Amino acid sequence: EIAAAGGHNLCMVGPPGAGKSLLASCMPGILPELTPAEALEVSMIASVAGTLEGGRLMRTRPFRAPHHSASMPALVGGGLRIRPGEVSLAHLGVLFLDELAEFRRSVLDQLRQPLEDGEVWIHRARQRTRFPCRITLVAAANPCPCGWFGDPERSCSCGEGQRRRYWGRLSGPLLDRIDLQVVMRRPSSAALTAPFRAHSGRSTSDESSAEVRARVRRARSHMAARNPGGCCNSRIAGGLLQQVLQLEGEALEVWEAAIQHRQLSARAGARLLRVAQTIADLNDKASICATAIAEALTYRSFDQG
């Protein structure tokens, strides 16, 4: 919900069966509908790529899930006849990278600048082509090659060296651009069977995608009224954060302590603020409180090693 509302990049790490892929596939259902201008923009990219069905405007946000064997031109764009890659085909939607650590490092590193700038430039000897790619990156990864490191019920068969090589495929600068880093656990048997035990077939604590989407829409309306150009919180330029965001006194102290204690880079510290602002927007709060900073910190698992 936070990722959808603020356009924040998300990585879920957990064993097989934790629900990472299922959650990712639900993401388009809680994103706001495309505006007419956005629908035209998305449809133009699909038309250039030759994937526009029947010449009709696309009305739903893209959800692209390339295989981890995808080449750099397939992911970023290029080829003999320059065409948009998966990152541009996911423009204004979701790019889902399952088995993130299985992608080649050289391919993943090409995502760093597009994620930062929201656009891809393809250079040829006599041609330069620009494709937009303002996406929400959602990634899923196992904690180790066998997938069971840290699981309370199954033991991991990987050595320390194997785990280091596995995560070594992901560069620090790429991970630094992922705002939400969440460790997941497999649901218990009680959680899986709860809906079947309920008389209605649905637990009273469950929410539909439509209910979550309504909150996302409301949070986006706060962003549109406050942020330059009406952009999502994840797209607020670093130089404008001081002018746009309002921090309560205690929140400023918590943020400063977090930067010092976790040795966050300037980029990571700014991303922490943007996530906290999205949490505040979802709670209909104009300013960032200490609680919002603390919650945003819980979504930076990679900083804890």
Side-chain angles (χ1 to χ4, degrees):
E1 184 175 340
I2 295 170
H8 301 287
N9 299 325
L10 163 68
C11 182
M12 298 173 283
V13 180
K20 305 184 294 294
S21 299
L22 176 62
L23 280 172
S25 66
C26 293
M27 185 79 154
I30 63 173
L31 287 168
E33 300 84 351
L34 288 170
T35 66
E38 289 175 336
L40 180 60
E41 205 171 337
V42 169
S43 300
M44 289 171 65
I45 297 172
S47 179
V48 171
T51 60
L52 189 64
E53 297 182 3
R56 296 185 299 270
L57 285 179
M58 295 177 62
R59 299 296 182 183
T60 58
R61 291 188 181 269
F63 180 85
R64 306 291 298 188
H67 191 261
H68 59 74
S69 62
S71 65
M72 185 171 67
L75 193 63
V76 180
L80 293 177
R81 297 178 59 187
I82 295 178
R83 297 178 62 177
E86 294 288 341
V87 70
S88 294
L89 290 170
H91 178 57
L92 299 178
V94 176
L95 178 67
F96 176 46
L97 301 184
D98 200 5
E99 304 293 347
L100 181 66
E102 298 292 345
F103 282 80
R104 292 193 294 275
R105 178 167 178 162
S106 59
V107 173
L108 289 178
D109 280 346
Q110 293 298 315
L111 288 176
R112 286 158 46 181
Q113 209 58 42
L115 287 176
E116 197 75 19
D117 298 340
E119 61 183 16
V120 172
W121 283 94
I122 309 295
H123 297 267
R124 292 292 181 268
R126 299 182 180 180
Q127 183 180 4
R128 296 177 69 223
T129 305
R130 171 192 171 275
F131 294 117
C133 60
R134 295 194 304 277
I135 64 168
T136 299
L137 174 67
V138 179
N142 291 330
C144 65
C146 78
W148 300 109
F149 179 68
D151 190 82
E153 298 178 5
R154 296 188 58 170
S155 58
C156 172
S157 60
C158 306
E160 181 65 26
Q162 286 178 291
R163 289 194 291 271
R164 288 186 180 276
R165 285 193 297 273
Y166 182 74
W167 282 101
R169 299 173 189 173
L170 307 179
S171 66
L174 176 64
L175 295 177
D176 214 26
R177 287 168 168 82
I178 298 179
D179 303 355
L180 304 169
Q181 309 154 0
V182 182
V183 174
M184 297 181 61
R185 305 296 181 198
R186 286 186 298 160
S188 65
S189 58
L192 288 173
T193 58
F196 295 92
R197 290 197 302 269
H199 293 298
S200 63
R202 177 181 167 200
S203 171
T204 55
S205 62
D206 287 346
E207 287 184 308
S208 68
S209 291
E211 292 171 299
V212 179
R213 176 186 268 182
R215 282 200 300 272
V216 169
R217 274 202 216 100
R218 191 171 66 246
R220 290 256 181 137
S221 68
H222 296 322
M223 298 174 204
R226 178 190 62 242
N227 298 346
C231 66
C232 292
N233 288 337
S234 64
R235 293 287 171 190
I236 303 173
L240 298 177
L241 287 177
Q242 186 177 357
Q243 303 172 29
V244 175
L245 308 186
Q246 299 180 25
L247 273 75
E248 298 176 5
E250 190 177 352
L252 183 58
E253 294 175 5
V254 173
W255 181 49
E256 184 179 7
I259 293 174
Q260 292 178 350
H261 177 68
R262 298 201 185 187
Q263 298 182 330
L264 299 180
S265 66
R267 179 184 290 112
R271 289 185 179 277
L272 181 66
L273 270 190
R274 295 185 182 102
V275 172
Q277 182 61 66
T278 299
I279 294 170
D281 288 333
L282 285 166
N283 292 322
D284 296 317
K285 304 293 186 183
S287 59
I288 301 173
C289 64
T291 304
I293 295 283
E295 182 178 348
L297 273 172
T298 66
Y299 303 131
R300 293 202 61 86
S301 300
F302 298 161
D303 298 331
Q304 304 170 33

